């Protein structure tokens, strides 16, 4: 694998994250009659974050389905539909609500392909608004991605820009594998350039062509260099990509050149792009909102250390959440890896 830089075309439209995902879902629904959406309040309301706004009016109640409050039932139904040839996309209203469906995901959805010796595919996408920064109450700001990344058989991805959100949701739907699609809800309203002609469905793919067309984009497998640099590698994904870019801009004003890697996918993990970057910069800091204890940063730090031991000039550092329940809204800024905490880690790595 090699690093890529996503560059929207000059005809790109400025869209917020949520609208980019909406446009990607729209493209998939239009391109494949077997695609359907399921979730609580996703119909006339358009979901609590309005990500599915207007889609039921366009595609009808049979393809954009309002479901009861029953996450295990939603995912179990999606598994059955996928085995009958559909491509269901489930919306979990908030990250902390995914746990009632945890058993369906990890013991059924993840293992069906292996259990059938490869004869069955289960192309289910589970969209999960995750992470903090919106001042929400308990069970509304968690980052459980590593719980699913630890389970073989699941793809676990999180876009870091509106352009990637638009393409990656199409790729997730086109994928024959089950995909956990973690959406950084704190970034839903941030705008970015989106080329609406890209992606396996938006570029003209049909139900039969889309999986093959997805190979042309491959954003589910490859990390991207979001900003080149020479002094230190900052690894992030999803919500923390924007934070990492702000850190790099701030450090640049003081003469430090930071390379930002947007992982895009936590499982599979594109170690090659990270290692290539660290071999150029010789220092590495990993940033994520989930607790650092046994988190994705621990895996990345171990892999970088194993493969770059003689090139490293400082230990790999991690900045993330603490090993506590997500705090109340008034102090969540202390929990989240903000600009100052990440810059402190950068300074410690550079001074080592």
């Amino acid at each position: 694998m090699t690093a890529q830089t996503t560059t929207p075309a000059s005809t790109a439209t400025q869209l917020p994250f949520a609208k980019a995902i909406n446009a990607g879902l729209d493209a998939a629904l239009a391109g494949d009659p077997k695609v359907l959406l399921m979730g609580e309040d996703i119909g006339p309301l358009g979901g609590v974050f309005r990500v599915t706004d207007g889609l039921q009016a366009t595609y009808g109640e049979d393809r954009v389905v309002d479901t009861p409050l029953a996450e295990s039932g939603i995912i179990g139904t999606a598994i059955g539909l996928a085995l009958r040839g559909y491509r269901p996309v489930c919306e979990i209203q908030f990250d902390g609500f995914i746990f009632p469906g945890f058993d369906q995901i990890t013991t059924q959805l993840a293992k069906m392909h292996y259990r059938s010796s490869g004869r069955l595919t289960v192309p289910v996408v589970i969209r999960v608004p995750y992470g903090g920064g919106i001042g929400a109450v308990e069970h509304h700001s968690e980052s459980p991605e590593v719980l699913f990344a630890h389970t073989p058989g699941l793809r676990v991805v999180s876009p870091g820009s509106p352009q990637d959100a638009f393409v990656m949701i199409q790729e997730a739907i086109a994928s024959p594998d089950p995909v956990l699609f973690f959406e950084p809800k704190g970034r839903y309203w941030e705008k970015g350039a989106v080329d609406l002609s890209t992606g396996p469905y938006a570029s003209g793919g049909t139900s039969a062509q889309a999986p093959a067309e997805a190979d042309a984009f491959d954003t589910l497998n490859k990390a991207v260099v979001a900003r080149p640099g020479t002094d230190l590698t900052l690894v992030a994904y999803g919500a923390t990509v924007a934070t990492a870019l702000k850190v790099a801009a701030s450090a640049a004003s003081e003469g430090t050149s930071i390379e930002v890697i947007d992982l895009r996918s936590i499982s599979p993990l594109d170690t090659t792009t990270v290692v290539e970057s660290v071999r150029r910069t010789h220092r590495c800091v990993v940033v994520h909102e989930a607790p650092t204890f046994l988190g994705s940063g621990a895996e990345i730090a171990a892999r970088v250390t194993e493969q770059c031991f003689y090139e490293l000039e400082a230990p790999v550092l991690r900045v993330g959440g603490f090993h506590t329940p997500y705090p109340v809204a008034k102090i969540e800024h202390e929990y989240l890896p903000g600009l100052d905490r990440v810059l402190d880690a950068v300074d410690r790595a550079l001074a080592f």
Side-chain angles (χ1 to χ4, degrees):
M1 298 181 193
T2 56
Q4 295 179 333
T5 301
T6 302
T7 306
S10 57
T11 56
T13 303
Q14 289 289 321
L15 286 180
F17 230 103
K19 290 293 184 186
I21 298 170
N22 177 284
L25 293 170
D26 190 7
L29 285 162
D32 187 346
K34 293 294 186 181
V35 174
L36 56 88
L37 313 186
M38 306 165 59
E40 300 152 11
D41 299 323
I42 69 166
L45 182 67
V48 291
F49 295 105
R50 307 297 186 265
V51 173
T52 56
D53 190 33
L55 296 178
Q56 190 182 72
T58 303
Y59 297 100
E61 296 179 0
D62 291 338
R63 295 190 65 198
V64 181
V65 184
D66 261 333
T67 67
L69 288 161
E71 286 77 10
S72 181
I74 295 168
I75 296 163
T77 303
I79 293 171
L81 285 164
L83 293 173
R84 295 290 295 175
Y86 291 89
R87 292 183 178 273
V89 182
C90 309
E91 177 178 301
I92 302 297
Q93 210 164 58
F94 284 93
D95 34 55
F97 300 169
I98 199 170
F99 297 110
F102 188 82
D103 178 59
Q104 287 280 15
I105 296 170
T106 57
T107 66
Q108 304 299 330
L109 180 61
K111 296 179 172 64
M112 202 69 73
H113 185 72
Y114 177 82
R115 194 175 285 149
S116 65
S117 299
R119 288 189 288 273
L120 298 176
T121 57
V122 197
V124 174
V125 176
I126 302 174
R127 296 180 36 242
V128 189
Y130 84 113
I134 63 168
V137 296
E138 189 177 17
H139 303 314
H140 289 67
S141 303
E142 298 174 16
S143 298
E145 61 270 21
V146 74
L147 299 178
F148 300 99
H150 191 68
T151 302
L154 300 174
R155 286 180 179 269
V156 182
V157 306
S158 184
S161 69
Q163 174 66 44
D164 270 1
F166 175 66
V167 174
M168 286 173 67
I169 190 63
Q170 295 178 63
E171 280 201 293
I173 296 169
S175 169
D177 304 317
V179 179
L180 274 291
F181 194 86
F182 281 89
E183 300 170 5
K185 69 168 92 74
R187 311 287 184 193
Y188 268 150
W189 301 275
E190 292 184 4
K191 286 187 176 181
V194 178
D195 181 354
L196 293 173
S197 67
T198 57
Y201 292 103
S203 60
T206 64
S207 56
Q209 296 167 335
E213 291 291 327
D215 293 339
F217 301 96
D218 210 16
T219 55
L220 298 190
N221 295 319
K222 293 181 180 177
V224 63
V225 178
R227 176 184 174 122
T230 56
D231 296 332
L232 181 143
T233 297
L234 199 50
V235 181
Y237 58 85
T240 55
V241 171
T243 305
L245 290 171
K246 290 176 183 175
V247 168
S250 177
S253 67
E254 298 178 353
T256 300
S257 174
I258 292 179
E259 182 151 295
V260 176
I261 301 293
D262 177 357
L263 283 179
R264 290 173 164 165
S265 173
I266 304 142
S267 181
L269 186 63
D270 178 8
T271 306
T272 301
T273 295
V274 177
V275 165
E276 289 175 350
S277 174
V278 175
R279 283 179 174 157
R280 291 192 293 271
T281 66
H282 310 292
R283 291 178 172 84
C284 181
V285 175
V286 187
V287 186
H288 53 66
E289 287 193 8
T292 55
F293 179 70
L294 296 177
S296 52
E299 177 68 24
I300 295 165
R303 293 192 185 197
V304 169
T305 303
E306 288 169 359
Q307 298 186 43
C308 303
F309 186 78
Y310 291 106
E311 288 98 340
L312 282 171
E313 295 184 8
V316 181
L317 301 181
R318 294 168 289 153
V319 186
F322 303 105
H323 194 46
T324 68
Y326 195 88
V328 296
K330 285 186 177 178
I331 59 170
E332 67 176 350
H333 61 280
E334 301 284 355
Y335 178 92
L336 294 169
L339 194 66
D340 288 343
R341 284 179 58 200
V342 181
L343 279 170
D344 177 69
V346 168
D347 288 343
R348 284 187 285 130
L350 291 170
F352 188 84

